[in-house]
Amino acid sequence: MAVHKPEVDDTLSRLHKQHAKDKENDRVETGSFPVVGRKPKRVSLDANRSRARVITNIFIVVLCALLGYGYVIQLNNTRSTYETMSEEELTRLISETSNQVQLQEQRRNELQAQLNSLQDAADKQQEAQRIAQQNEETSGILSGRLPAEGEGVTISISHGSIEAVEASTMFSLIEELRNAGAEVIAINNVRVITQTYIADGENGLICDDVELSSPYVIKAIGDPQNLQNAVNIAGGVGSRLKVKFGAEVTVNASDRVRIDEVAEVPQYQYAKTVE
């Protein structure tokens, strides 16, 4: 029987190569089989928000619970403090509280007194200013520095037909008007003040260095009825002017007599204001 040995060898050789080739293909390092990587997991944004909201709510609840617990502890401590205090300590505490109340009341009274003092000072200052202004006006009118107007009379006296009117008679008329309540008086264009004088001149009367011409016009502010009676009373100065001097005397009452004549402020040499 003939043996074919070369064919067997060829078959074994092919099988051996095929096995080696298959083994080479099975190795991972050759890259024959692709390696598939894992995809990263996506974290949902809504899930993060929900988780944060839950944590916040839990924190708030815990915080509120802690605050409530602290408040309860404080109340219990306060109550227990008073409850555990002795009678002497409670008496001392009440005394201290009463003293504080008295101090606060005293301070309130002091502040109220200061406020009242300030109000009184303001009222007094306003009243003082009002009185000072009133006195200034009164003084200005009486001294003749300021014009004046009001109820009164206007008296007209003509030149005497028998003889000239004397200064003494005219001065008596001024005094009668003052006694009847005349507050402001003027003769012609001269304001009558406390220092006013009347003298006889060559051509008539002289009043405060001013020569007066007839008819003499006297304006007086005061009660019209009293001033009229002072002039027209029987046997008075008005009658003497008519009978002795032959002068015509007329008296006219008015609701508004205006005296614009003013006098210069006198300079006193000896008299001084008392300080």
Side-chain angles (χ1 to χ4, degrees):
M1 172 186 260
V3 179
H4 299 284
K5 189 175 181 177
E7 293 181 0
V8 174
D9 293 335
D10 292 338
T11 300
L12 293 173
S13 178
R14 286 197 300 273
L15 291 174
H16 181 70
K17 291 180 180 181
Q18 184 65 37
H19 178 70
K21 187 176 181 180
D22 293 339
K23 187 177 181 180
E24 185 69 20
N25 290 334
D26 289 340
R27 294 180 60 185
V28 177
E29 290 80 357
T30 59
S32 299
F33 295 95
V35 179
V36 180
R38 294 183 178 179
K39 294 183 180 181
K41 296 182 179 180
R42 289 186 178 180
V43 180
S44 175
L45 183 59
D46 294 336
N48 290 336
R49 290 179 179 177
S50 299
R51 189 179 300 109
R53 189 178 295 108
V54 171
I55 294 173
T56 302
N57 293 335
I58 294 174
F59 177 76
I60 292 174
V61 171
V62 172
L63 182 60
C64 292
L66 291 175
L67 290 176
Y69 178 75
Y71 180 71
V72 173
I73 293 299
Q74 181 67 25
L75 289 178
N76 293 332
N77 289 337
T78 303
R79 292 176 181 175
S80 61
T81 299
Y82 289 122
E83 291 175 354
T84 57
M85 291 178 67
S86 64
E87 182 178 355
E88 182 180 354
E89 290 175 342
L90 289 174
T91 303
R92 180 179 56 81
L93 181 60
I94 294 174
S95 178
E96 291 178 355
T97 305
S98 299
N99 291 334
Q100 292 179 359
V101 172
Q102 291 178 358
L103 290 176
Q104 295 296 330
E105 186 69 19
Q106 182 179 359
R107 181 56 179 167
R108 187 188 70 84
N109 294 335
E110 291 177 356
L111 293 176
Q112 186 65 38
Q114 292 178 359
L115 178 60
N116 295 336
S117 177
L118 291 174
Q119 291 177 348
D120 292 341
D123 295 340
K124 290 179 180 178
Q125 185 176 4
Q126 293 178 355
E127 183 65 15
Q129 290 178 352
R130 186 189 66 81
I131 293 175
Q133 183 178 2
Q134 182 179 1
N135 291 338
E136 183 180 0
E137 293 177 355
T138 303
S139 176
I141 292 175
L142 294 178
S143 64
R145 293 183 294 105
L146 299 176
E149 66 176 2
E151 294 182 319
V153 296
T154 301
I155 305 168
S156 178
I157 303 172
S158 67
H159 192 276
S161 60
I162 300 175
E163 59 177 301
V165 176
E166 297 176 347
S168 60
T169 304
M170 187 63 69
F171 188 79
S172 297
L173 177 60
I174 298 299
E175 290 300 314
E176 290 293 335
L177 292 174
R178 283 175 173 171
N179 293 335
E183 298 175 349
V184 183
I185 302 174
I187 302 176
N188 287 11
N189 57 345
V190 178
R191 180 74 167 266
V192 176
I193 57 177
T194 56
Q195 289 80 13
T196 295
Y197 72 91
I198 301 175
D200 294 319
E202 295 181 357
N203 300 319
L205 301 178
I206 298 175
C207 181
D208 292 347
D209 295 335
V210 177
E211 188 174 320
L212 304 179
S213 59
S214 59
Y216 306 114
V217 178
I218 301 175
K219 293 183 291 185
I221 296 177
D223 184 86
Q225 187 63 41
N226 292 338
L227 298 178
Q228 281 182 320
N229 293 335
V231 177
N232 297 328
I233 188 172
V237 65
S239 299
R240 187 160 66 249
L241 286 170
K242 295 176 182 179
V243 174
K244 181 178 179 180
F245 301 100
E248 294 182 2
V249 180
T250 59
V251 182
N252 295 319
S254 176
D255 294 334
R256 185 175 181 272
V257 175
R258 181 177 180 86
I259 298 178
D260 294 321
E261 292 79 12
V262 294
E264 294 182 0
V265 179
Q267 299 298 324
Y268 296 97
Q269 182 177 359
Y270 302 102
K272 295 182 180 179
T273 304
V274 178
E275 296 182 356

